[in-house]
Each structure stands twice: as structure tokens, then as C-alpha cells.
């Protein structure tokens, strides 16, 4: 913890899972350097998304303005241990901005992941059926014992807590493969807490940050459910 920073009060803290309600650009500076083992995150795609969800057409914070991109990932770089991985989803229309920011900060692009959905969206030129993420390396992380396929199945979850919710089942293999056992996972754009739920299912500690309090409430509801069966890593 930096001496200049005031520790934020967690919105939720239990059994190794900590949620902060706030802007990650303000909360991350309060975390110690090199204190997390793996980052799995899903930042705004910069596409001005306004999907129909829950009878609402609410927008996503930060989705129309890239000013958070470099400051947030600079902090992600600082809190991530050397020789570790970061997986970040991104919006392909602005892949240049995302890739430019990551490279500028020192991340190496070591693989690219495609998530193939079981549902098709509407579209103009094509109908969207996939999401994308980069596997980024800080330093030289160890090659995993069993590399994952770079194409991952995506089944939409029945319970909706967030308009951009990522399925926990699709996230678990990423944590199991690229986070060390008993490590701490960070998601500074937590939304409904899918990354934290996946980490909890695998018995890892996790820290999440979310600027929109409505999603923090949904996330806590998901995270409060205890793990009935600890899932194996493979
Ligand atoms: C694409 S969504 C993440 C959805 C999440 N993966 C899930 O499964 O629910 C991005 C989230 O980042 C949040 N966000 C945007 N800017 C932020 C910031 N500066 N700090 C923290 N959270 C932020 C948004 O409110 C939104 O919930």
C-alpha cells in the first residue's frame, strides 16, 4: 500500500474475495505493487453499447471514452507480479487503441482467444457470434503444463446480472491454466463479478472493482453463494 493512499473500504469481503465499489483508476493505486498473480478482465469495449437488458437501455461507464485505457492498464501492470499473465477482452472496432496501450506499457501479446457463442446477435455486415481477448504477458511467465485451445465455447447464462455478462464456465479454464494455484486474481472492471465467481469456484482469492453500484450488488449476490464442490483445475 502506498503511504499517500487511503485504503478504500471494501464493498464486500469474505473468504478471500474482495469487492471494491469505485473507479479502478482510484482504487488500484491503493493496492500494493506486484500483489496479484493473474488479471482476467473485461473492460468497456469503447463502442457506446446500449443493449436492451432488464427493461432498461442503460449504457456502460467508460464505453464511449478511451481516456481510462492507459491509466487503468498502467496500474494493472504495476499491481501484477513480474512473469505473470493478464487476459483482457476488448472491443475489436478499437483493437488499435487496446493493442497500442498494452504494448506501450510493456505487455507482450502471447496469444489471442476467440469465444464462440451459442447465440447470434443482430448485425449489418455479419451477425456477431464471437468475443475476443488477448493473452498478455508481463515478463516471461512459465509456459502452462497444458495449453488451452484458443477457441472456447460460450453458452449464455440463464441468470442475467449484467448486459455484458461473461459466462463463468468459459472463464474457469482461463484461471485454471494461467493463474498459479493459491494465487490472487484481479478484475478491475468486474461488472457482475463473473471473474471472481470463477476464481472462487476454483479456490483462488480474488479482487474485483466496479464503478457502478448496481452491478456491485448483483456481484455480491453471486459471490455470497458458497462453493459446494471445489472444482478441480483440470
Ligand atoms: C464489459 S463490462 C464487464 C462485465 C463482466 N465481465 C461481467 O461478466 O459481468 C465492463 C464493466 O466495467 C465497469 N467500469 C467502467 N469503467 C470503470 C472504471 N473506471 N472502474 C471500474 N469499473 C469500470 C462498467 O460499469 C462495466 O460494468
Amino acid at each position: 500500500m502506498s503511504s499517500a493512499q487511503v485504503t478504500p473500504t471494501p464493498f464486500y469481503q469474505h473468504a478471500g474475495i474482495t469487492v471494491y465499489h469505485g473507479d479502478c483508476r482510484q482504487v488500484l493505486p491503493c493496492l500494493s505493487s506486484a500483489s496479484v498473480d493473474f488479471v482476467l478482465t473485461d473492460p468497456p469495449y469503447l463502442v457506446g453499447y446500449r443493449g436492451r437488458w432488464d427493461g432498461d437501455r442503460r449504457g456502460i461507464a467508460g464505453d464511449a471514452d478511451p481516456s481510462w485505457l492507459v491509466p487503468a492498464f498502467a496500474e494493472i501492470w504495476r499491481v501484477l507480479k513480474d512473469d505473470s499473465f493478464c487476459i483482457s477482452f476488448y472491443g475489436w472496432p478499437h483493437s488499435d487503441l487496446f493493442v497500442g496501450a498494452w504494448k506501450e506499457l510493456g505487455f507482450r501479446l502471447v496469444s489471442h482467444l476467440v469465444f464462440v457463442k451459442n447465440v447470434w446477435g443482430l448485425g449489418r455486415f455479419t451477425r456477431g457470434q464471437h468475443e475476443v481477448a488477448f493473452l498478455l504477458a508481463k515478463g516471461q511467465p512459465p509456459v502452462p503444463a497444458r495449453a488451452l485451445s484458443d477457441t472456447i465455447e460460450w453458452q449464455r447464462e440463464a441468470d442475467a446480472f449484467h448486459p455484458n455478462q461473461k459466462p463463468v464456465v468459459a472463464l474457469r479454464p482461463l484461471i485454471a491454466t494461467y493463474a498459479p494455484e493459491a494465487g490472487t486474481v484481479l478484475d478491475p472492471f468486474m461488472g457482475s463479478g463473473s471473474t471472481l465467481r470463477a476464481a472462487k469456484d476454483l479456490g483462488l482469492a480474488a479482487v474485483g472493482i466496479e464503478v457502478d453500484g448496481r452491478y456491485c450488488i448483483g456481484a455480491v449476490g453471486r459471490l455470497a453463494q458458497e462453493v459446494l464442490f471445489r472444482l478441480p483445475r483440470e
Side-chain angles (χ1 to χ4, degrees), residues 2 11 43 64 86 116 161 167 193 197 205 217:
S2 154
F11 185 83
C86 167
V116 181
F161 298 93
R197 183 66 238 184
I217 292 168

Side-chain angles (χ1 to χ4, degrees), residues 24-49:
C24 66
R25 290 168 294 181
Q26 266 104 56
V27 177
L28 285 169
C30 303
L31 305 184
S32 301
S33 299
S35 58
V36 305
D37 298 278
F38 176 56
V39 176
L40 173 53
T41 196
D42 178 25
Y45 285 7
L46 302 173
V47 292
Y49 177 86

Side-chain angles (χ1 to χ4, degrees), residues 22-25 42-45 60-62 68 162 164-167 171 187-195 209-212 215 222:
D23 186 319
C24 66
R25 290 168 294 181
D42 178 25
Y45 285 7
I60 301 293
W68 51 267
H162 193 289
N164 308 142
Q165 192 166 321
K166 302 294 179 278
L171 303 182
D187 185 352
F189 298 94
M190 176 194 77
S192 61
S194 307
T195 296
I209 306 168
E210 170 57 48
V211 76
D212 189 326
Y215 300 137
R222 299 173 87 192

